[in-house]
Amino acid sequence: MPKLFDIKFPGECKTLPEGFWSAVDVWIKKPHVVNKRLCGVKETESKDVDREALQLLLLGDDQLCQDVFSFMISRVSPAETHGEENLWSSSVRTFIPKVNNYGTRLQKEVILKDFCRQQVTFVPFEEDSEGQVSPKKGNIYQLQLLHQSCEEWALELHVLSSDAWFSDGVAYPKLPWLSTDLLPKLVRWATECKSSEFRSTLSLLPVEKYSIMYQQLKEKYKAMVKVWPEVTDPEKFVYEDVAIATYLLVLWAEERAEKGLTARQSFVDLGCGNGLLVHILASEGHPGKGIDVRKRKIWDMYGPQTLLEEKAITPSESFLFPGTDWLIGNHSDELTPWIPVIAARSSYSCRYFVLPCCFFDFYAKYQRRRCKKSQYKEYIDFITEVSQVSGFNTEEDCLRIPSTKRVCLVGKSRSYQLSDEAEAERRRAHYIQSRQTASGLAVQRSDIRNDGDSCHGNEDTNGTPDSSWGAGFQPRDRVETVRNCAALPRDFVDGVVLRVAMALLGMTEDDGSRSSSDWNRGGWQPLQPEPLV
């Protein structure tokens, strides 16, 4: 009899049974959200199989097929299966570990969904470089949803042979982990049954190539953590930029393969900040540079091969890049909405990648328009709208970075022909003017034209923007304003904190009944400004 673990669903659960299958799909398609040692999986398209097709799917192994079949119907009475055709939805997933300890061997699972019985069975096996496969019979397990009464549901975990269970902590997790970690998460996902506002992570890339590239770059650039001279957290910023660089390098490699290109893509990173992303991309063979309004301490550490310019960027004819393949906006703040526009106006072949963070419109802070969406989702939709109006076929993806702002937008191609460039420019110009009006910004310019063929004043009659199309844009100050106590000496800050703490602890009234081991709750004091003398 297989070992059994189970967990009850809390109260009446109206999301079931649909929520169960939604939760199962998360575990099947995105196991890395629970098993942090995985980067992801590759899954084949699902198809329906009967018992005969199941035998072929299970390597033609008669005994294995019999064991799996018996396992799947072992808790079903003969009356329940009488006259019912056994049909399952099957697929195969291949695990992609973050660190490959398996060599050329591939860890896979045959997944069998039985919608009638509300159960899904996992049959793991290994495949070597020569295509020879071997099942891991001891690790066959099953998840089953049971409707116990009108309002009670339970999720059960069944194992074919618990005594033979093998675990390496990666593709084969420990049996207690399945019950104590996986089952509660499945119950929560099934109960919530929420669809994400955004795409799943790395939806535009082959996950396996990303995983291999990330491990290589992480090993290559991890030394930056130890020599990081900035006040920012080196662990977060180094590995985040490694992940973003990995994404771009794989994206560009796929683009070269698709278009038959040999030369590596050139780039300009607008608002490059610490410049690490520029440094990695340049070191990996891509010609490019970064521009930022303020130089960082770490710039001098990169060497002359990393081109970084200290310059304020104002959207205009002076900041177009006709010879550049890709423009990058990595947390580019007030430049974010301008990057698709600058890319579109630089050349018909210029593409862009932008990772929005802070919420900026063209000329001011972004103002919310719809309260039914999260502010972040609404802003992503706004930048998508800018991109589409600028003439890009816009794609959205979600990065794997240690940040809550992980959604990126990619413009790899145009939605119009080159011969329609003039009309496309009129649409861009009209849209930017409408956003300027919405921001309540009245820009006075001496070079405004009133030609009848123009959509607005900062466009020539031939559809090309003049040099002042970014007038009214306010770049950030070169000198960063310190708005908290970060610039004060650390000893001084610690001293103030200690004096305040001791003063509050000293306010406790002692009636003689409190022992030395009792917790001192301290007192309270309202904050009020000192009177001016």
Side-chain angles (χ1 to χ4, degrees):
M1 186 69 181
K3 190 173 183 179
L4 168 67
F5 299 96
D6 72 306
I7 184 170
K8 305 287 186 183
F9 281 87
E12 183 180 0
C13 201
K14 296 181 179 180
T15 61
L16 299 175
E18 292 81 4
F20 166 71
W21 291 110
S22 176
V24 164
D25 280 342
V26 175
W27 171 235
I28 292 173
K29 300 176 186 299
K30 298 187 285 186
H32 55 275
V33 301
V34 188
N35 186 347
K36 300 303 181 182
R37 295 185 180 183
L38 293 177
C39 184
V41 294
K42 289 192 298 185
E43 188 185 12
T44 63
E45 186 177 351
S46 61
K47 60 181 180 180
D48 291 339
V49 296
D50 55 17
R51 185 169 181 178
E52 183 177 348
L54 175 62
Q55 185 169 356
L56 295 175
L57 190 63
L58 297 178
L59 320 174
D61 187 324
D62 292 337
Q63 185 58 52
L64 176 64
C65 183
Q66 179 60 44
D67 290 342
V68 171
F69 179 75
S70 301
F71 180 50
M72 289 191 292
I73 66 171
S74 60
R75 288 164 304 283
V76 182
S77 66
E80 291 179 282
T81 58
H82 179 69
E84 180 181 312
E85 181 183 4
N86 292 307
L87 200 65
W88 303 276
S89 174
S90 71
S91 62
V92 178
R93 65 174 177 174
T94 303
F95 292 104
I96 303 172
K98 284 186 176 179
V99 179
N100 185 11
N101 295 322
Y102 299 110
T104 58
R105 290 179 295 124
L106 299 177
Q107 277 59 46
K108 300 188 174 188
E109 276 184 343
V110 172
I111 301 168
L112 300 167
K113 292 181 179 179
D114 188 335
F115 294 102
C116 295
R117 301 183 181 91
Q118 306 291 351
Q119 66 184 27
V120 56
T121 305
F122 300 83
V123 184
F125 64 95
E126 292 185 352
E127 181 178 333
D128 63 21
S129 58
E130 298 178 354
Q132 297 296 317
V133 295
S134 56
K136 302 287 290 185
K137 186 176 177 180
N139 285 56
I140 296 174
Y141 69 98
Q142 181 184 97
L143 300 169
Q144 182 167 28
L145 177 69
L146 289 182
H147 196 186
Q148 297 179 326
S149 66
C150 297
E151 298 181 357
E152 290 187 3
W153 296 81
L155 179 61
E156 296 184 344
L157 170 67
H158 300 267
V159 180
L160 178 61
S161 179
S162 58
D163 294 337
W165 187 272
F166 166 77
S167 172
D168 62 5
V170 185
Y172 309 110
K174 294 180 179 180
L175 194 53
W177 181 89
L178 290 176
S179 60
T180 59
D181 286 67
L182 178 61
L183 283 189
K185 284 185 170 60
L186 289 171
V187 167
R188 179 167 62 85
W189 296 338
T191 305
E192 294 174 351
C193 198
K194 293 179 180 178
S195 58
S196 173
E197 290 183 305
F198 305 106
R199 297 284 298 273
S200 59
T201 58
L202 308 180
S203 61
L204 301 181
L205 300 181
V207 178
E208 187 173 15
K209 292 182 180 179
Y210 175 90
S211 177
I212 294 171
M213 176 73 73
Y214 178 76
Q215 292 303 323
Q216 291 173 347
L217 295 184
K218 184 179 179 181
E219 184 67 24
K220 188 173 181 179
Y221 296 100
K222 66 181 182 181
M224 296 296 302
V225 173
K226 297 180 180 179
V227 296
W228 193 256
E230 306 292 331
V231 295
T232 51
D233 180 7
E235 292 274 351
K236 177 185 185 300
F237 280 85
V238 171
Y239 294 128
E240 181 171 316
D241 280 355
V242 165
I244 297 171
T246 302
Y247 188 93
L248 288 170
L249 291 171
V250 175
L251 181 73
W252 292 346
E254 292 296 295
E255 182 184 60
R256 292 197 302 274
E258 179 184 338
K259 296 182 177 180
L261 304 174
T262 54
R264 293 181 181 253
Q265 295 89 333
S266 60
F267 71 92
V268 175
D269 187 348
L270 300 176
C272 64
N274 58 53
L276 180 56
L277 179 59
V278 177
H279 176 65
I280 296 174
L281 295 177
S283 299
E284 298 304 313
H286 287 269
K289 65 179 180 179
I291 305 174
D292 200 279
V293 69
R294 181 168 54 88
K295 180 179 179 180
R296 307 303 201 272
K297 297 176 183 177
I298 197 172
W299 285 16
D300 293 329
M301 297 177 57
Y302 295 135
Q305 79 282 358
T306 302
L307 303 179
L308 299 168
E309 296 181 11
E310 184 180 20
K311 185 186 299 183
I313 302 169
T314 300
S316 65
E317 294 295 291
S318 301
F319 285 95
L320 295 182
F321 307 91
T324 300
D325 295 319
W326 283 80
L327 298 186
I328 298 171
N330 173 20
H331 293 174
S332 43
D333 296 344
E334 67 274 4
L335 282 172
T336 297
W338 285 104
I339 288 177
V341 178
I342 295 173
R345 287 174 166 171
S346 290
S347 72
Y348 183 75
S349 62
C350 187
R351 290 87 77 192
Y352 81 87
F353 165 92
V354 69
L355 181 61
C357 180
C358 300
F359 307 142
F360 284 90
D361 207 323
F362 288 106
Y363 300 100
K365 285 279 190 178
Y366 177 77
Q367 300 297 321
R368 295 196 67 177
R369 294 178 289 178
R370 302 180 184 89
C371 295
K372 292 185 178 180
K373 300 179 183 179
S374 68
Q375 186 178 15
Y376 183 43
K377 172 60 176 171
E378 185 180 320
Y379 187 68
I380 293 295
D381 289 347
F382 165 61
I383 301 301
T384 300
E385 180 180 275
V386 173
S387 174
Q388 292 170 341
V389 172
S390 296
F392 285 98
N393 294 313
T394 309
E395 297 178 279
E396 177 186 302
D397 206 350
C398 192
L399 305 185
R400 288 188 185 168
I401 56 176
S403 172
T404 56
K405 307 292 175 61
R406 302 186 294 131
V407 178
C408 69
L409 296 173
V410 180
K412 296 191 294 183
S413 62
R414 301 298 172 90
S415 58
Y416 63 91
Q417 300 297 317
L418 178 58
S419 57
D420 299 325
E421 183 64 52
E423 179 59 34
E425 175 52 39
R426 289 188 179 92
R427 286 195 298 270
R428 291 181 206 119
H430 180 74
Y431 181 78
I432 293 171
Q433 185 192 36
S434 71
R435 299 303 305 176
Q436 187 181 71
T437 304
S439 300
L441 182 65
V443 181
Q444 302 296 324
R445 291 191 295 269
S446 60
D447 56 349
I448 288 181
R449 303 175 57 93
N450 292 309
D451 301 279
D453 292 335
S454 285
C455 285
H456 71 89
N458 64 340
E459 180 191 349
D460 292 332
T461 54
N462 62 1
T464 3
D466 68 21
S467 59
S468 64
W469 48 267
F473 171 80
Q474 183 60 49
R476 65 178 55 189
D477 295 331
R478 183 176 180 276
V479 178
E480 188 175 23
T481 303
V482 178
R483 301 182 182 276
N484 53 31
C485 61
L488 297 175
R490 189 69 212 177
D491 291 344
F492 174 76
V493 174
D494 291 343
V496 171
V497 172
L498 182 61
R499 289 186 63 181
V500 171
M502 295 305 295
L504 294 175
L505 289 173
M507 291 180 178
T508 303
E509 295 182 5
D510 189 358
D511 57 2
S513 61
R514 184 169 63 89
S515 68
S516 60
S517 62
D518 288 341
W519 174 256
N520 182 359
R521 295 180 300 172
W524 67 276
Q525 175 66 41
L527 293 175
Q528 55 187 7
E530 290 289 334
L532 296 176
V533 179

